[in-house]
Amino acid sequence: MTDKELEEIGDKIVGVLKTIYDPEIPVDIYELGLIYDVFVSEENNAKILMTLTSPNCPVAESLPRDVEDKVKSLKEINECEVEITFDPTWTNEMMSEEAKLELGML
């Protein structure tokens, strides 16, 4: 698989991630800065390293499963693993300019 093909798959994954919203904040999880990294292997398996707004997040159980299911729905992806980390701890500084604007923080 070429770097360009991997990049295209990565872009598709990001597109899917932008359809998943935090239930408490009307911004998608990608723009919120909850996605730390997206890996795609040569075997078309994806690994998503992400965090939550807090360890007590009400969707701590369902959000990672939602991410996994939606990424696996891409025809290019065979498997998807979602790993949750709190290192570094999420802060609103991690949000994109678009998210900050949406929330009236700019």
Side-chain angles (χ1 to χ4, degrees):
M1 186 174 308
T2 67
D3 287 348
K4 183 167 175 43
E5 289 171 320
L6 283 173
E7 189 177 321
E8 287 172 2
I9 293 171
D11 290 345
K12 284 185 178 185
I13 291 171
V14 168
V16 166
L17 295 173
K18 287 184 171 194
T19 68
I20 303 170
Y21 285 78
D22 184 290
E24 297 176 327
I25 308 169
V27 175
D28 70 77
I29 62 172
Y30 189 82
E31 297 297 337
L32 267 181
L34 298 181
I35 304 299
Y36 288 171
D37 221 333
V38 174
F39 305 95
V40 180
S41 73
E42 289 288 326
E43 296 80 31
N44 286 29
N45 295 325
K47 180 172 182 182
I48 313 290
L49 182 63
M50 67 176 288
T51 193
L52 302 169
T53 52
S54 82
N56 303 325
C57 182
V59 291
E61 292 296 314
S62 61
L63 190 61
R65 200 168 26 252
D66 216 18
V67 169
E68 186 179 306
D69 291 344
K70 288 199 175 176
V71 171
K72 277 198 318 201
S73 75
L74 291 169
K75 69 179 182 347
E76 296 87 349
I77 297 298
N78 296 321
E79 288 298 320
C80 179
E81 176 190 346
V82 175
E83 182 180 331
I84 300 291
T85 183
F86 291 101
D87 183 27
T89 303
W90 181 86
T91 68
N92 61 10
E93 291 302 309
M94 295 172 163
M95 292 191 304
S96 68
E97 296 292 309
E98 183 181 315
K100 290 177 183 175
L101 191 62
E102 180 82 21
L103 297 172
M105 297 172 70
L106 287 179

